[in-house]
Amino acid sequence: MPCTSCGSKTLTREDISGSLICVSCGVVQAFDNYDAQLYGRDGPTGIYVHVGTAGTGSALNYKEKKIYESHKLIDELTFKLDLAGQRSIQIKNMIDKITDGEFGLGDWFPILIGACSYVVMRLDDKSLPISEVASVLNCDVYELGRMITRVVEFLNLKLPEVDIVSMFERVIRNSRLQGFTNLDESMLDKMRKQGVLLLNCAVKWFLTTGRRPMPVVVAVLVFVAELNGVSVKIENVAKEVHCTVVTCRKRYKELLEALVKVAQALPWGKDVTVKNVLKNAPFVMNYMEMKSMEKRKEERDGLNCGGIDLGDVVSECLKKDVEYRIEGGGVESDPRYLEVEERSRLALTGVDRVHKTQLSHECLAMIYTRFANEIDDGKLLEESEVIHGVKGRGGYELHACRDWWCGKSELSKKVLLKKILEKDVGLDVMPPSFVNGCMVNERRRAKINSAKIRIDKIMNPSRASTGDVDNVYFLESVHTRKRKRKPVAEIDWEDLIIETLLLHQVKEEEIEAGHYNTLLDLHVFNSGIM
């Protein structure tokens, strides 16, 4: 064999390394002493292929290793979801039943783990939002939802209803936002009861019907936090619970609008708007709480009056107006106490003449204006603290007037849906989706009428009238929330489609349903004919 460098055949082998070296040029010949060997954990293993093993140095076959890695992945994901222990075993058993003991290692397997985790929590009446599971798995929410549907259908399960109250309690208990971490247990419990009351009212007002529950939870949590002076932003709460900020803002706005409708029952209800409903929220929530504790009309024995008895409310407030306690536990015979008691007695006797007293609208407006100014200036808080003083060893202990919350209503805790619907909270409304659907149908009806007028105007010019078209377009702009403009007879794509369908003799009821693509395929393009 000649040298690869100079071509000389004077080659010799070195004794120490065993390499072949050229005597003429001294170049070491490459790959002369190559020996193909495989090295494992215990040294060289030879040149033969080990059939049936899962890699070098492993004694597990393919199926055993797949099951081992699957269990390892399940433990990892359940730990991130805080579902270790017995629930992790339940998830493994459910996956084992679905896959017939094969498990898996593909991209679909983590989604299956998340779906089984969600189903296990729902079966245990615990809250685990889909958005949180999707964020841990780093997958799409809709893909996870489709997997959950397939798991439920395969196992023939019937999941209980979503418990929105448990979701709210879980969020407010585990929140790591700066505003909630510094609160004491009493304040958190107070906010929790207020939030549960608002959530139950939201269920009664159909704000959760057909919607995702977490945006409603975010809206209620932000409202309760602002009500109790906790500084928190809706963007931060939505980010923490993995919700869309735009949806949370919509639910927050719907909640404020519903509270404005409830506030119309107050004497100054006409002045309450979405912008100032938060300042009037204590009065509104007190009103809702008292209405929920009131017996329904059919439960009263021979009582025909509805609403709240003003005399009972005033007398109850005056009874608790002032109490001075001494160290002995008795009531001190203070001249000021006797004076207040006398004023309370006179006020109670004057309650019967409340309905006989007539006040002018100007007087009521002046009283309300002064009341609102005192709230803004903080004077009412100081005066209320002085009135509600309690005499102790070191003087008077002041109770802030912000202690308006009672929390005695049954709606302040988790109740059944049937009982929620039976309660009266001062507002009975239709579902927003139903109202919006009615408005859309009315708008389509107006468009159909205007299209018929335009068609009749072209086909019969002598009978055409210009005033009807303007009236129809005015009806279209009745339910719009934008600034009212002068109605202009503008034709858009929907008007053209409606005209085309009317000319093809399509029924107006079918057009009003709004399935334009289907109607065009069936009646215009004749795609349904084979």
Side-chain angles (χ1 to χ4, degrees):
M1 184 177 69
C3 177
T4 57
S5 179
C6 64
S8 176
K9 294 184 178 180
T10 56
L11 301 176
T12 181
R13 188 173 298 277
E14 188 179 9
D15 297 334
I16 298 176
S17 62
S19 299
L20 195 63
I21 302 174
C22 179
V23 177
S24 301
C25 61
V27 175
V28 179
Q29 306 301 309
F31 305 108
D32 178 66
N33 60 345
Y34 176 74
D35 185 14
Q37 291 183 353
L38 296 177
Y39 287 85
R41 182 180 56 186
D42 299 326
T45 58
I47 60 175
Y48 297 103
V49 178
H50 291 251
V51 181
T53 60
T56 304
S58 175
L60 298 176
N61 56 27
Y62 173 76
K63 183 177 180 180
E64 291 176 349
K65 183 178 180 181
K66 180 178 67 173
I67 295 176
Y68 171 77
E69 295 293 339
S70 301
H71 282 269
K72 185 178 179 181
L73 183 60
I74 294 173
D75 294 335
E76 179 182 354
L77 294 179
T78 52
F79 177 77
K80 292 181 179 179
L81 293 171
D82 196 15
L83 301 178
Q86 185 63 29
R87 290 196 177 95
S88 178
I89 299 176
Q90 295 176 2
I91 294 170
K92 292 180 181 178
N93 294 335
M94 184 177 293
I95 296 176
D96 180 54
K97 184 176 181 181
I98 293 173
T99 60
D100 291 334
E102 293 293 334
F103 291 86
L105 290 176
D107 295 336
W108 57 272
F109 191 68
I111 303 176
L112 178 61
I113 297 175
C116 293
S117 303
Y118 178 81
V119 172
V120 168
M121 292 295 288
R122 282 285 298 274
L123 292 176
D124 291 343
D125 288 331
K126 302 296 182 181
S127 63
L128 181 62
I130 297 181
S131 57
E132 181 178 347
V133 180
S135 65
V136 173
L137 301 178
N138 195 18
C139 69
D140 185 47
V141 178
Y142 299 99
E143 186 178 4
L144 179 60
R146 288 191 293 268
M147 181 65 76
I148 291 173
T149 304
R150 294 177 61 184
V151 170
V152 172
E153 291 177 353
F154 181 82
L155 298 177
N156 196 16
L157 300 175
K158 186 177 181 181
L159 298 180
E161 296 293 333
V162 176
D163 191 359
I164 192 172
V165 174
S166 299
M167 288 186 174
F168 175 78
E169 293 176 346
R170 183 172 183 266
V171 171
I172 196 174
R173 182 177 62 251
N174 300 331
S175 179
R176 298 180 180 178
L177 296 177
Q178 185 177 2
F180 295 99
T181 54
N182 300 328
L183 296 177
D184 54 357
E185 292 296 331
S186 60
M187 178 60 70
L188 284 176
D189 185 67
K190 177 182 176 181
M191 293 173 61
R192 182 187 62 82
K193 290 183 178 180
Q194 293 174 358
V196 171
L197 174 64
L198 289 176
L199 281 176
N200 289 329
C201 293
V203 172
K204 182 176 177 60
W205 298 333
F206 302 101
L207 297 181
T208 60
T209 304
R211 279 106 174 259
R212 295 183 182 180
M214 287 307 298
V216 182
V217 171
V218 173
V220 172
L221 181 61
V222 172
F223 183 84
V224 172
E226 293 178 351
L227 182 61
N228 291 273
V230 179
S231 178
V232 64
K233 293 183 179 180
I234 193 171
E235 295 86 356
N236 298 335
V237 181
K239 183 179 179 181
E240 187 181 31
V241 298
H242 312 286
C243 286
T244 307
V245 180
V246 177
T247 308
C248 297
R249 291 186 183 277
K250 290 181 179 179
R251 301 296 172 263
Y252 185 76
K253 184 178 181 181
E254 291 175 354
L255 178 64
L256 295 182
E257 292 175 351
L259 292 176
V260 170
K261 294 178 181 179
V262 178
Q264 301 305 310
L266 299 176
W268 59 91
K270 294 182 179 180
D271 298 331
V272 179
T273 61
V274 177
K275 296 182 179 180
N276 61 6
V277 68
L278 187 61
K279 295 182 179 179
N280 296 274
F283 305 101
V284 177
M285 294 186 64
N286 264 333
Y287 172 73
M288 292 163 51
E289 189 178 14
M290 295 176 69
K291 289 287 289 184
S292 63
M293 292 187 295
E294 182 187 20
K295 292 184 178 180
R296 297 186 65 87
K297 190 173 183 179
E298 57 269 12
E299 296 178 0
R300 300 191 188 101
D301 298 329
L303 294 178
N304 297 324
C305 60
I308 302 172
D309 190 358
L310 183 60
D312 294 342
V313 176
V314 175
S315 61
E316 185 67 22
C317 294
L318 291 176
K319 285 179 182 178
K320 303 187 295 184
D321 218 356
V322 176
E323 283 188 359
Y324 293 92
R325 294 198 300 268
I326 57 176
E327 297 180 1
V331 178
E332 184 180 0
S333 59
D334 198 309
R336 290 173 293 180
Y337 170 75
L338 298 177
E339 180 183 354
V340 173
E341 185 180 20
E342 184 65 24
R343 284 191 285 122
S344 301
R345 190 182 301 111
L346 292 175
L348 288 174
T349 57
V351 169
D352 298 332
R353 299 191 297 272
V354 169
H355 297 287
K356 298 181 181 180
T357 305
Q358 296 182 356
L359 297 176
S360 63
H361 296 285
E362 293 79 4
C363 183
L364 290 175
M366 181 181 65
I367 294 174
Y368 173 65
T369 303
R370 181 181 177 186
F371 175 75
N373 294 334
E374 288 178 349
I375 289 181
D376 295 336
D377 297 338
K379 296 179 180 178
L380 183 63
L381 177 61
E382 299 176 359
E383 295 178 0
S384 178
E385 288 176 347
V386 174
I387 292 176
H388 290 275
V390 178
K391 192 173 182 179
R393 179 183 301 177
Y396 296 98
E397 297 177 359
L398 303 180
H399 294 287
C401 68
R402 296 183 181 271
D403 296 336
W404 49 270
W405 174 252
C406 298
K408 298 180 180 179
S409 174
E410 193 174 1
L411 293 181
S412 299
K413 56 185 179 181
K414 188 189 304 183
V415 293
L416 298 176
L417 177 61
K418 181 180 179 181
K419 187 168 292 186
I420 293 176
L421 298 177
E422 291 176 353
K423 292 291 184 179
D424 182 15
V425 294
L427 178 64
D428 290 322
V429 294
M430 300 298 292
S433 57
F434 176 77
V435 176
N436 295 332
C438 293
M439 293 170 58
V440 171
N441 288 338
E442 185 177 352
R443 183 180 61 84
R444 290 199 189 107
R445 170 56 57 184
K447 284 182 173 290
I448 292 173
N449 294 334
S450 62
K452 291 169 62 178
I453 292 173
R454 288 194 301 270
I455 294 174
D456 185 69
K457 181 180 178 180
I458 295 174
M459 299 179 66
N460 302 297
S462 60
R463 295 185 301 174
S465 60
T466 58
D468 295 336
V469 180
D470 294 337
N471 292 334
V472 170
Y473 278 97
F474 179 74
L475 289 175
E476 294 180 18
S477 61
V478 169
H479 298 289
T480 57
R481 299 182 180 180
K482 297 180 180 179
R483 182 179 299 176
K484 297 297 184 298
R485 296 180 180 179
K486 185 177 180 180
V488 180
E490 296 180 355
I491 299 177
D492 56 2
W493 64 270
E494 189 174 5
D495 294 316
L496 297 177
I497 292 177
I498 292 175
E499 288 181 2
T500 305
L501 294 175
L502 288 174
L503 291 173
H504 284 78
Q505 305 300 321
V506 182
K507 295 181 180 180
E508 297 181 7
E509 293 79 8
E510 297 179 356
I511 300 176
E512 192 174 345
H515 304 294
Y516 296 138
N517 293 332
T518 304
L519 295 177
L520 289 173
D521 291 339
L522 291 176
H523 299 281
V524 179
F525 302 114
N526 296 326
S527 62
I529 300 177
M530 300 299 293

